[in-house]
Amino acid sequence: MINSEFDLINQFIAPPAFKRADVSVGIGDDCAVLDIPAGMQLAVSMDTLVEGRHFAVGAAPEDLGHKTLAVNLSDLAAMGASPAWVTLSLTMPSSDIDWLCRFMAGFSLLAKQHEVQLIGGDTTKGPLSITVQAHGFVDPQHYLRRNSAKPGDLIYVTGTLGDAGLALLAQQGLFVEQQYLASIRKRLDRPTPRVEQGKQLARIASAAIDLSDGLASDLQHVVLASNCGATIHVDNLPCSEAVRTYVKETGDWSLPASSGDDYELCFTVPDNRQAEFEALLPDFGCQANWIGTIERQSGIRWFDAHGDVIDPGCGYDHFRQ
Ligand code: ADP
Ligand code: MG
């Protein structure tokens, strides 16, 4: 019998999916108490998912558990951090035990995979909203920023682009062949944070960002912060067969170029370290493709296979009027 918020926390949230030795005090007291390894710095990030805004009413709770953690781990990956601890703020309309157990199952599975421990949070009643704060370690000499790309650096992305965007279009009624539906849905609902790749890149990339709002929008953050520009060759954008089919049929590059929610990494490598980077690729854990080059001239220029300039559209902006 669930009598209170405390029962809910104790029974369904507190049992750790993964226990770390660097947690002196976890869930159950007023604060968590933690050890940061000597010589490392803490990288901290937070993301909120709101029902009706970031996910549909009635979304599968297992997927939400996975995705709220995944998007935060993706931010750590973009800095080249090793994830360690997370806190979770849950606002729920009612004490729905079935929903909570399924949410925690999705959350815990990914936490265990990345050896991350849930060390605290808050539970309140209200419209469904989920906030996760993630904490990871970085080597002070080797972490990745957005502001350190240099003219001549090569631009790469991990994985494939546009699958989550295509899944959203399919949800909104766009016809997508049956054979592609499961894989693109998975990309939207259960993104893979590129944590291992981010850690490897920390020693070699000059800058990085994770792709939450779309390549066009997120790369813009890199070039603005780095006070430079970029050239991108759209025919080099890595696409799944599903997205490639869409691009072929419509001539529209906006899915791989500017749709959001892929949670891949976009990063830059100094050209004199290209060979060293490409030597990592066999054990990198996912594909990484060269898509363009950082340039002195500001702005991003997009070229198609014929060398013509194209406009790929913009990423999703929550506050655009
Ligand atoms: P306080 O009233 O001191 O803020 P709470 O009653 O909110 O404490 O929480 C009790 C304990 O449970 C704390 O250790 C808190 O971090 C943890 N906790 C509460 N909600 C969550 C949650 N959603 N996820 C993880 N830990 C939680
Ligand atoms: Mg509280």
Side-chain angles (χ1 to χ4, degrees):
M1 171 84 173
I2 301 300
N3 289 314
S4 68
E5 173 192 330
F6 303 107
D7 291 341
L8 205 69
I9 296 167
N10 287 336
Q11 285 192 39
F12 303 105
I13 298 178
F18 187 81
K19 268 190 155 168
R20 294 179 59 99
D22 52 18
V23 177
S24 294
V25 179
I27 292 176
D29 216 314
D30 291 306
C31 292
V33 179
L34 311 156
D35 301 324
I36 300 172
M40 299 296 266
Q41 284 184 306
L42 199 58
V44 180
S45 170
M46 178 188 274
D47 258 313
T48 297
L49 299 191
V50 175
E51 186 177 57
R53 165 63 73 173
H54 301 95
F55 59 90
V57 176
E62 296 86 347
D63 290 341
L64 291 177
H66 176 101
K67 190 161 179 175
T68 39
L69 180 54
V71 300
N72 277 277
L73 295 180
S74 177
D75 281 322
L76 291 181
M79 301 290 288
S82 301
W85 315 306
V86 285
T87 53
L88 168 65
S89 174
L90 255 184
T91 303
M92 301 183 289
S94 66
S95 310
D96 183 340
I97 307 296
D98 176 60
W99 187 94
L100 184 61
C101 287
R102 292 171 58 193
F103 174 86
M104 288 310 300
F107 189 96
S108 299
L109 195 64
L110 188 64
K112 216 163 147 179
Q113 253 174 43
H114 289 279
E115 306 193 341
V116 161
Q117 184 169 341
L118 178 61
I119 45 115
D122 202 15
T123 308
T124 51
K125 199 166 178 171
L128 185 59
S129 164
I130 309 154
T131 300
V132 168
Q133 185 172 45
H135 310 73
F137 308 135
V138 291
D139 178 333
Q141 310 304 322
H142 298 283
Y143 59 86
L144 301 169
R145 299 283 314 269
R146 299 175 176 190
N147 65 359
S148 38
K150 296 276 181 302
D153 288 355
L154 306 167
I155 307 171
Y156 289 83
V157 291
T158 59
T160 59
L161 303 178
D163 297 301
L166 184 59
L168 266 180
L169 289 183
Q171 272 177 15
Q172 290 159 10
L174 178 82
F175 173 77
V176 175
E177 279 179 54
Q178 183 67 31
Q179 57 171 328
Y180 300 137
L181 287 177
S183 64
I184 60 174
R185 264 311 282 268
K186 187 154 183 262
R187 291 294 311 274
L188 177 63
D189 295 338
R190 301 221 173 194
T192 304
R194 300 299 189 186
V195 172
E196 287 312 313
Q197 290 76 16
K199 279 158 58 176
Q200 293 185 62
L201 290 171
R203 294 191 158 266
I204 198 157
S206 51
I209 192 166
D210 70 319
L211 298 177
S212 52
D213 297 332
L215 177 64
S217 166
D218 291 322
L219 181 61
Q220 183 74 8
H221 296 312
V222 174
V223 296
L224 283 177
S226 300
N227 198 21
C228 56
T231 291
I232 299 293
H233 302 280
V234 288
D235 50 317
N236 285 351
L237 299 180
C239 298
S240 64
E241 201 181 303
V243 170
R244 212 172 317 126
T245 303
Y246 172 89
V247 172
K248 224 185 248 164
E249 283 172 1
T250 60
D252 171 17
W253 284 98
S254 68
L255 274 183
S258 60
S259 70
D261 260 354
D262 281 325
Y263 298 99
E264 296 294 349
L265 298 179
C266 174
F267 55 95
T268 57
V269 175
D271 63 345
N272 63 1
R273 302 194 71 184
Q274 180 184 17
E276 194 185 339
F277 167 66
E278 296 206 341
L280 295 177
L281 286 179
D283 296 319
F284 198 55
C286 71
Q287 70 185 77
N289 290 82
W290 175 77
I291 59 166
T293 307
I294 296 289
E295 291 175 343
R296 203 165 299 280
Q297 186 190 347
S298 64
I300 304 176
R301 288 155 295 283
W302 303 78
F303 291 95
D304 67 12
H306 311 293
D308 294 328
V309 175
I310 65 158
D311 176 3
C314 310
Y316 185 60
D317 179 342
H318 290 267
F319 298 103
R320 195 181 300 141
Q321 295 295 312

